[in-house]
Amino acid sequence: MEPVRFLLCLGLLQAACGSPCSNHTNVLVFSLTGQWAIRNSNSSVQLHGAVPGCVHTALLNCGIIKDPYIGFNDVMYKWIAQDEWTYSKTFTLPPKIKQSQKVVLVCEGIDTVSTVILNTIPIAKTQNMFNRYTVDITQIIKQENSLEIKFQSAVNWAEERSTQHAYDIPPDCPPKVQNGDCHVNFIRKAQCSFSWDWGPSFPTQGIWKDIRIEAYNVVHLNYISYSSIFDNTTSQWMVLIEPVFDTITANVLPGQVVIRIPQLQIDQSQDLSIVPGQQAYKIIVKINKNASVDLWWPNGYGLQTGYNMSVTFHFGGEYLIEKSTKVYFRTVELVEEPIEGSPGLSFYIKINGIPIFLKGSNWIPADSFQDRVDSDKLRNLLQSAVDANMNTLRVWGGGIYESDEFYNICDDLGIMVWQDFMFACSLYPTDDWFLETVREELIHQIRRLKSHPCIIVWSGNNENEAAIASDWFSLPSFMKEVYAKDYRILYIETIRELVLEMDETRPFIASSPSNGKETVKENWISKDPYDNHYGDVHYYNYMTDCWNWTSYPKPRLASEYGFQSWPSFSTIYKVSTRKDWSYSGNFSTHRQHHDSGNEQMMFQAGLHYKMPVNIDPVKQFHDTLYLTQVMQAQCVKLQTEFYRRSQNEIVDGRGFTMGALYWQLNDIWQAPSWSSIEYGGKWKMLHYYAKNFFAPVAASAFEDQNTLNIYGVSDLLNECSFKLAINVYRWDSLVPVCKRLTNEFILNARSSGVIYTESIAELLSRCGNTTRQHSVIVFYLLHNGHIIGSKNWHFLSSLKEAEGLLKSNITVSISKDDTAYVFTLISSNPAAFVWLDVWDNAGWFIDNGFLLTEEKTVVYFYAWEPTTISNLEKSLHISTIRDIYQQ
């Protein structure tokens, strides 16, 4: 689509959107954020837009386009990315800035390819979304100034780079089902911005982070990072402080640094001499051996203690630079060592010397347009991870290095971050220009991020070792060694060397999945990166019955696995119209970016549930969306429970599984995906299940050769005693046909193991000769008479074969107490997958998607935004698996 000439979007463009302020005494900062003028290549579209921001959101906010997420707009608006846009701004600088010895333009994030022009003079070219660009403008700046940033189309630029390369770098384009753009591996930009199998193609242009002018004399602090290191030889903590200065003196500049950590009685000063130019330095502060240092712990293992620290640099008595931060103390180790009874090596994380089972998910960008990701959205998503008992998120390598605020929240909440570098599912060029921009990117990002205790692993890429090893791209045999060499140049000789040089406090792995030390031994590309005896594994299988636990791999660590579902009808409603509400319609096909994804969901659901049938097509669509969430929740539940059970056992040489990170936590838009949280923050059924299957203490069941086995799993740091209650219900009665309460037993700290076995035949016999089709098992752990964790269940047959399953006829009354809304459910018979949906009333239930086996069930709803009982009553819709059947 070619844009027609639009009327100007008339907004107020401030001549100077900011005033000089000091972050330390010798630096003046002038902000350039706020409103900028924006125009396309032929000036047929002119508007004003916010910085930070991008062209798409500027066009949306001015009413020139509709929300890009609505309907088929991702395709309709491709013209925006194919055009070339210019951002411009005029501003007046205070005289004091011009009088400084050095004035620089600091661009924290330019997206992506641009020429920066100040007062008609080109001063910089950018080609990396992830870099900070700093440009000396001392000789160019005036009191009255004009600044332009002329963008090139990222799509066209990437294509041009690919044609200039000496040989193909696959893949050229994403699968057609994604409606994406090509050659994203040639541009240092969010790889998913050209589309992914869960997201749209929106190759944005714009100034996506802070932009400012800084002016200073003599010396400037460009970066400062902090790391805590435990010296095993002296049994002493140290803090490594690493400043990077820009010094504009002719000679060495003498100075002094004063470090204060009041709570640890640290008040130290050291002499410091810095040389002209830009240079990094290391300052070591030793903590008194007798000091009691509280450590930073992951969620569920302890507090996230940090200490206030101030670092003050004095130069000649006239120049003062002061920084205040929190410093955290924690150690992280990646343990790879032989395991008794198994070939291969372990693969797990120790924090502060304690082995940690990684419980969590994978994080993707929260929006295609980062200026729409505000503090509330970030905190909601990350708090939701903690509320689901997660301790780890993997920041996936096809998105972005997240904002400072993201990592600050993870520090505060105890969320460990497995941090990929931004390379995913592709081969990449290793031309000099590419390697140089990658080096600049990594230096900037490591300096920016390394102070965060939450980051526990640097990982070179997502799935690129596997892509070569498994020949994803059908590489010509005569080129395979060329691509393997490129791989080693990029991830080993460039990225790994930089990481080892810049950060000694956390491990580096070359890829995910990978075989760890075995990958190193095999010259960094394993024959089988999915080997369950080493490293981490990604595993997806949509055509094998997910209820069959024997189909799952038994790896050392499962860092990706999952099943798709659709979001709720209330989420899809916002971006669709009535004609779109059909599972097999054009809209549903268009939103599904995973080849055959809609069919795969129905196949998997059809193994155990009847398909929804309704004369009302909208009701049938609504029920089908619900069924996909039922399927996803149950499948991921069973697979995750299998991984947690496997942490202490070796079977046929496999096991000792120490992590389960399902794909994926969040959504980038309103569409089918593997997420457990919908775009907008609403929890899917899977997220409620995650809260239960990731609980610190949990029980899970499976059958092996017609024998029921129940395992107990504990993340507790001490052993604890429990009893196990096992009740069997018939589908047509709320009265258990039999009950059993075991004797007290001990669950060891950080362990899993069998706590109950019984043959199914014996169980059915002692329960009044009930049948598999008529019955369901409910079980839970008790400690001192109180239920610990959640009630769990084991289906003795597929739900489509269940006999006696009646329509629920659940009635609900809603009241309010001091902290939550109270939903009281009354039912005359059991109900499976009971789903309480309150449309778009933001919040979460204490439980949802549950198996109802009591006449009265009380569920609490915690609202994120103000609402009323009346609103909740009007919006409430209850679904159960039986209610979606026609008869």
Side-chain angles (χ1 to χ4, degrees):
M1 170 185 172
E2 285 297 321
V4 297
R5 188 172 186 85
F6 291 101
L7 292 175
L8 283 178
C9 174
L10 297 176
L12 177 63
L13 183 63
Q14 298 173 345
C17 65
S19 56
C21 60
S22 297
N23 62 350
H24 39 260
T25 55
N26 67 315
V27 178
L28 297 172
V29 178
F30 187 87
S31 175
L32 293 171
T33 59
Q35 292 290 306
W36 286 54
I38 306 172
R39 67 181 187 272
N40 70 335
S41 56
N42 64 6
S43 297
S44 62
V45 183
Q46 299 182 43
L47 64 152
H48 294 150
V51 169
C54 69
V55 173
H56 285 80
T57 51
L59 292 167
L60 172 63
N61 293 336
C62 287
I64 295 173
I65 64 171
K66 295 181 180 178
D67 189 330
Y69 282 180
I70 291 175
F72 300 79
N73 284 348
D74 57 315
V75 171
M76 294 293 292
Y77 294 158
K78 278 187 177 291
W79 61 268
I80 299 171
Q82 290 162 357
D83 208 338
E84 300 190 335
W85 299 82
T86 297
Y87 276 64
S88 61
K89 186 177 190 64
T90 58
F91 57 93
T92 303
L93 279 182
K96 203 170 181 182
I97 286 185
K98 183 71 176 75
Q99 294 162 7
S100 301
Q101 285 180 281
K102 189 167 184 177
V103 185
V104 296
L105 175 67
V106 182
C107 309
E108 292 287 353
I110 301 291
D111 180 14
T112 295
V113 181
S114 78
T115 301
V116 184
I117 302 167
L118 178 62
N119 298 330
T120 73
I121 300 171
I123 59 171
K125 288 187 177 294
T126 73
Q127 58 182 18
N128 191 321
M129 178 184 184
F130 308 124
N131 276 357
R132 172 201 281 181
Y133 289 92
T134 302
V135 188
D136 187 345
I137 57 173
T138 311
Q139 303 304 318
I140 305 170
I141 203 73
K142 303 174 184 177
Q143 188 168 356
E144 302 295 331
N145 300 274
S146 65
L147 180 61
E148 278 195 339
I149 301 181
K150 299 175 74 71
F151 288 93
Q152 293 179 249
S153 164
V155 175
N156 296 339
W157 190 87
E159 182 179 16
E160 184 181 340
R161 285 285 176 170
S162 74
T163 59
Q164 293 171 358
H165 199 266
Y167 48 89
D168 289 341
I169 304 289
D172 288 337
C173 300
K176 287 184 179 180
V177 69
Q178 294 179 19
N179 304 307
D181 292 283
C182 302
H183 309 296
V184 71
N185 48 346
F186 276 88
I187 188 168
R188 292 310 297 143
K189 180 174 174 60
Q191 299 291 274
C192 64
S193 67
F194 279 40
S195 80
W196 217 262
D197 56 5
W198 37 255
S201 179
F202 284 115
T204 45
Q205 297 176 39
I207 306 168
W208 75 293
K209 289 194 171 188
D210 185 40
I211 183 168
R212 63 190 181 273
I213 289 172
E214 294 184 349
Y216 49 91
N217 299 313
V218 180
V219 63
H220 179 252
L221 181 65
N222 287 351
Y223 292 91
I224 188 164
S225 58
Y226 318 90
S227 306
S228 58
I229 301 169
F230 188 75
D231 188 336
N232 288 305
T233 59
T234 62
S235 298
Q236 187 174 19
W237 281 104
M238 300 182 295
V239 178
L240 173 63
I241 303 167
E242 297 177 274
V244 180
F245 290 105
D246 179 18
T247 310
I248 51 178
T249 57
N251 302 307
V252 171
L253 179 65
Q256 188 182 59
V257 58
V258 178
I259 304 103
R260 293 186 176 93
I261 312 176
Q263 289 173 282
L264 295 177
Q265 292 79 51
I266 297 295
D267 190 344
Q268 299 180 11
S269 62
Q270 299 180 24
D271 291 333
L272 182 69
S273 295
I274 58 178
V275 299
Q278 297 196 26
Q279 185 67 43
Y281 298 85
K282 293 188 176 184
I283 302 161
I284 293 177
V285 178
K286 294 185 177 180
I287 307 300
N288 192 312
K289 287 184 183 181
N290 298 323
S292 177
V293 177
D294 291 327
L295 304 180
W296 181 93
W297 288 98
N299 176 41
Y301 288 83
L303 300 177
Q304 291 74 51
T305 304
Y307 292 89
N308 293 323
M309 179 173 73
S310 67
V311 181
T312 307
F313 299 96
H314 301 268
F315 297 103
E318 185 178 353
Y319 297 102
L320 175 78
I321 301 172
E322 184 170 21
K323 287 291 182 182
S324 296
T325 187
K326 276 198 169 181
V327 63
Y328 300 85
F329 296 87
R330 69 100 181 88
T331 61
V332 54
E333 304 165 69
L334 174 59
V335 181
E336 298 180 83
E337 57 189 14
I339 301 171
E340 186 177 346
S342 173
L345 300 171
S346 65
F347 192 86
Y348 66 93
I349 293 291
K350 275 186 179 181
I351 302 293
N352 303 325
I354 302 295
I356 306 288
F357 188 99
L358 304 187
K359 301 186 299 184
S361 190
N362 288 259
W363 173 274
I364 66 168
D367 204 293
S368 294
F369 314 110
Q370 280 296 305
D371 51 305
R372 302 207 295 199
V373 182
D374 59 20
S375 298
D376 289 343
K377 180 178 279 193
L378 270 183
R379 185 162 285 278
N380 185 354
L381 287 168
L382 294 172
Q383 184 63 53
S384 291
V386 168
D387 290 340
N389 291 307
M390 296 183 186
N391 60 32
T392 306
L393 289 175
R394 174 172 170 252
V395 176
W396 167 76
I400 62 170
Y401 304 95
E402 280 295 334
S403 65
D404 294 337
E405 186 172 21
F406 173 92
Y407 299 99
N408 287 334
I409 296 171
C410 288
D411 289 342
D412 293 343
L413 295 179
I415 300 173
M416 294 179 288
V417 173
W418 174 315
Q419 179 66 55
D420 281 2
F421 292 110
M422 294 300 121
F423 303 88
C425 299
S426 295
L427 307 184
Y428 288 87
T430 56
D431 307 43
D432 289 345
W433 69 269
F434 190 86
L435 293 178
E436 183 55 33
T437 196
V438 166
R439 286 189 193 95
E440 292 169 355
E441 168 190 325
L442 261 69
I443 290 169
H444 169 59
Q445 294 296 343
I446 293 171
R447 283 174 174 167
R448 183 175 76 90
L449 299 177
K450 65 181 291 187
S451 302
H452 292 282
C454 63
I455 298 176
I456 58 164
V457 168
W458 299 114
S459 176
N461 64 73
N462 173 77
E463 299 185 343
N464 294 344
E465 178 187 341
I468 293 177
S470 304
D471 198 18
W472 287 7
F473 309 122
S474 302
L475 304 174
S477 56
F478 65 91
M479 287 293 290
K480 286 185 178 178
E481 188 47 45
V482 173
Y483 293 118
K485 182 181 178 183
D486 281 350
Y487 179 92
R488 296 183 189 102
I489 288 172
L490 179 56
Y491 301 111
I492 310 308
E493 297 174 21
T494 303
I495 294 176
R496 178 175 177 270
E497 289 304 311
L498 266 175
V499 171
L500 295 180
E501 176 187 331
M502 295 183 66
D503 187 11
E504 58 182 289
T505 67
R506 47 180 67 83
F508 171 82
I509 58 175
S511 184
S512 177
S514 174
N515 288 344
K517 287 183 176 179
E518 180 62 22
T519 285
V520 180
K521 214 163 123 184
E522 296 182 47
N523 199 17
W524 299 103
I525 300 175
S526 298
K527 293 184 182 67
D528 177 16
Y530 299 95
D531 191 329
N532 292 314
H533 302 95
Y534 303 93
D536 66 314
V537 166
H538 297 185
Y539 177 79
Y540 297 95
N541 187 339
Y542 313 113
M543 306 308 288
T544 298
D545 184 357
C546 77
W547 287 28
N548 176 14
W549 62 270
T550 65
S551 69
Y552 297 127
K554 208 175 178 76
R556 303 301 190 215
L557 193 150
S559 53
E560 275 194 34
Y561 59 96
F563 293 84
Q564 277 199 325
S565 72
W566 273 78
S568 305
F569 185 60
S570 61
T571 296
I572 289 298
Y573 178 87
K574 296 179 177 70
V575 293
S576 60
T577 61
R578 189 178 183 88
K579 64 181 173 54
D580 299 322
W581 300 337
S582 164
Y583 192 76
S584 58
N586 290 338
F587 174 81
S588 296
T589 302
H590 178 75
R591 284 276 154 159
Q592 176 56 267
H593 282 193
H594 171 61
D595 193 28
S596 302
N598 288 343
E599 293 77 15
Q600 290 167 357
M601 280 185 273
M602 288 299 95
F603 170 80
Q604 191 64 232
L607 295 175
H608 297 287
Y609 316 100
K610 294 179 182 178
M611 293 294 103
V613 177
N614 200 291
I615 57 173
D616 179 354
V618 176
K619 179 67 165 63
Q620 182 165 322
F621 181 63
H622 184 286
D623 289 345
T624 304
L625 302 188
Y626 159 80
L627 182 60
T628 67
Q629 291 206 21
V630 168
M631 177 276 296
Q632 179 197 37
Q634 180 73 358
C635 286
V636 178
K637 169 185 185 289
L638 294 173
Q639 190 168 358
T640 307
E641 288 177 342
F642 172 76
Y643 292 143
R644 289 197 76 187
R645 290 196 300 266
S646 300
Q647 67 180 281
N648 287 113
E649 55 178 35
I650 294 293
V651 177
D652 296 329
R654 296 183 296 275
F656 206 64
T657 305
M658 284 297 287
L661 308 178
Y662 66 77
W663 186 270
Q664 65 207 66
L665 181 77
N666 56 312
D667 263 336
I668 200 168
W669 72 331
Q670 306 92 334
S673 79
W674 295 255
S675 76
S676 63
I677 301 177
E678 300 173 10
Y679 182 83
K682 187 172 187 175
W683 290 15
K684 290 182 178 178
M685 193 179 294
L686 170 57
H687 206 75
Y688 288 99
Y689 280 33
K691 180 174 174 286
N692 296 331
F693 61 61
F694 280 147
V697 176
S700 65
F702 67 101
E703 289 183 41
D704 188 15
Q705 297 180 347
N706 289 315
T707 296
L708 174 70
N709 298 273
I710 300 179
Y711 273 55
V713 181
S714 173
D715 291 332
L716 303 180
L717 296 176
N718 299 295
E719 66 177 30
C720 194
S721 61
F722 298 93
K723 293 181 179 179
L724 176 70
I726 308 166
N727 300 333
V728 178
Y729 291 85
R730 287 176 61 93
W731 283 119
D732 56 2
S733 173
L734 292 170
V735 179
V737 291
C738 63
K739 296 183 176 183
R740 175 165 287 181
L741 184 65
T742 69
N743 294 327
E744 198 165 77
F745 57 88
I746 298 293
L747 270 183
N748 292 326
R750 305 188 317 278
S751 70
S752 66
V754 63
I755 56 176
Y756 186 83
T757 59
E758 183 179 12
S759 77
I760 297 297
E762 180 185 327
L763 180 144
L764 295 174
S765 174
R766 72 177 174 83
C767 294
N769 288 315
T770 189
T771 68
R772 280 181 173 272
Q773 289 72 27
H774 279 95
S775 309
V776 61
I777 302 170
V778 177
F779 56 96
Y780 48 92
L781 294 168
L782 293 162
H783 177 71
N784 294 334
H786 298 287
I787 296 176
I788 301 299
S790 62
K791 290 185 177 180
N792 205 344
W793 59 83
H794 177 70
F795 295 126
L796 289 166
S797 72
S798 292
L799 271 293
K800 68 180 182 181
E801 298 166 354
E803 297 178 4
L805 187 61
L806 306 173
K807 288 203 171 185
S808 57
N809 299 317
I810 298 171
T811 61
V812 182
S813 61
I814 305 174
S815 59
K816 191 176 188 307
D817 67 13
D818 292 340
T819 60
Y821 291 90
V822 184
F823 287 62
T824 302
L825 282 62
I826 303 296
S827 180
S828 56
N829 44 262
F833 302 109
V834 177
W835 182 246
L836 308 176
D837 189 301
V838 288
W839 198 248
D840 57 0
N841 285 274
W844 61 284
F845 291 92
I846 197 70
D847 198 10
N848 212 348
F850 49 85
L851 176 67
L852 186 152
T853 56
E854 307 287 338
E855 181 181 0
K856 178 180 177 181
T857 303
V858 176
V859 181
Y860 293 90
F861 177 75
Y862 295 92
W864 291 324
E865 298 171 359
T867 188
T868 64
I869 291 174
S870 175
N871 283 343
L872 293 170
E873 287 174 341
K874 289 175 186 174
S875 62
L876 177 64
H877 180 85
I878 301 177
S879 300
T880 77
I881 200 69
R882 180 63 182 84
D883 292 339
I884 71 171
Y885 303 160
Q886 196 168 24
Q887 297 180 354

